[in-house]
Amino acid sequence: SDPATVFPDNSYIHFGAGFDLNLGHNGSNSYITNNTGDLYIRNFADDKDIIFQSDDGSGGVETFFFLDGSHGGNPITMFPDNSALNFGSTLGDLKISHDGSNSTINNGTGALVLRQSVNDGDILFQCDDGSGGTTEYFSLDGSITLVKFTKSALFKDNVKANFGDGVDLEIYSDGDNGVITHDGGTLTITNTTDDSDIKLQSDDGSGGVTDYIKLDGSATNTKVYKDMRFSDSIDAEFGDGGDFKIYHDGSNTYL
């Protein structure tokens, strides 16, 4: 009953002296074609949107995304819950989505690369700070070319921190014991601070810890604070050539 102008299939409306903008329908598909300059789609109504809808797969239509005009001059494109941005010639190559509760970036082929190309720029990984805000947990620092951790890292039981191209050094806890394993060259523990020490500490038998051995950097000697026990037939040797030895063979003591 509404006044309407009907254009038959395969007819087009042309705008511009050179058919610059065309609207048409070929019986199966509809087309908006621009041949010159930029194509603008505008909505001047205050706080209103431009909404893109299509078939919902069940005989109706739903919103796939919309340009939200109610955000105070900040251009925002809204994608409803459970919609997804897909990139790549095959569905699922790269998908970014939100299900109403969680956000997901899913890569289905090749490598997923996060790249910062700004000189001396960083990649920051931030999360909840436990007090209603956010804070940095670690970053890839492009100015000093290091990975910086600003929060503690927790490795679960039997998850190893590995070092070296051949996994030469690994550190882990098996749930009961802490393990440091090295399989390549010399294992070196170094303290380069002037007059500082290296301490070996353990349980003191009373619920605390105490020094057992200390490499004293100010006195340049090794201090032993607890008894040292040598098993049977194990020598305590002195001198570059092991010139003086003390040992006990289980029955007798020898010097």
Side-chain angles (χ1 to χ4, degrees), residues 210-214 216 223-227:
T210 189
D211 291 349
Y212 277 61
I213 298 174
K214 181 171 73 172
D216 192 319
K223 291 184 170 65
V224 179
Y225 298 99
K226 297 293 181 181
D227 295 340

Side-chain angles (χ1 to χ4, degrees), residues 51-78:
I51 301 170
F52 292 80
Q53 295 184 332
S54 189
D55 175 58
D56 64 359
S58 302
V61 295
E62 67 174 300
T63 298
F64 278 60
F65 69 96
F66 61 97
L67 313 185
D68 194 325
S70 61
H71 277 80
N74 298 316
I76 292 180
T77 302
M78 300 292 293

Side-chain angles (χ1 to χ4, degrees), residues 187-208:
L187 177 61
T188 303
I189 300 174
T190 303
N191 184 354
T192 60
T193 304
D194 287 346
D195 296 332
S196 291
D197 309 325
I198 294 177
K199 297 181 179 181
L200 297 180
Q201 298 180 329
S202 190
D203 174 58
D204 65 359
S206 302

Side-chain angles (χ1 to χ4, degrees), residues 214-231:
K214 181 171 73 172
L215 311 186
D216 192 319
S218 59
T220 62
N221 60 30
T222 301
K223 291 184 170 65
V224 179
Y225 298 99
K226 297 293 181 181
D227 295 340
M228 300 187 73
R229 177 174 296 178
F230 293 81
S231 296

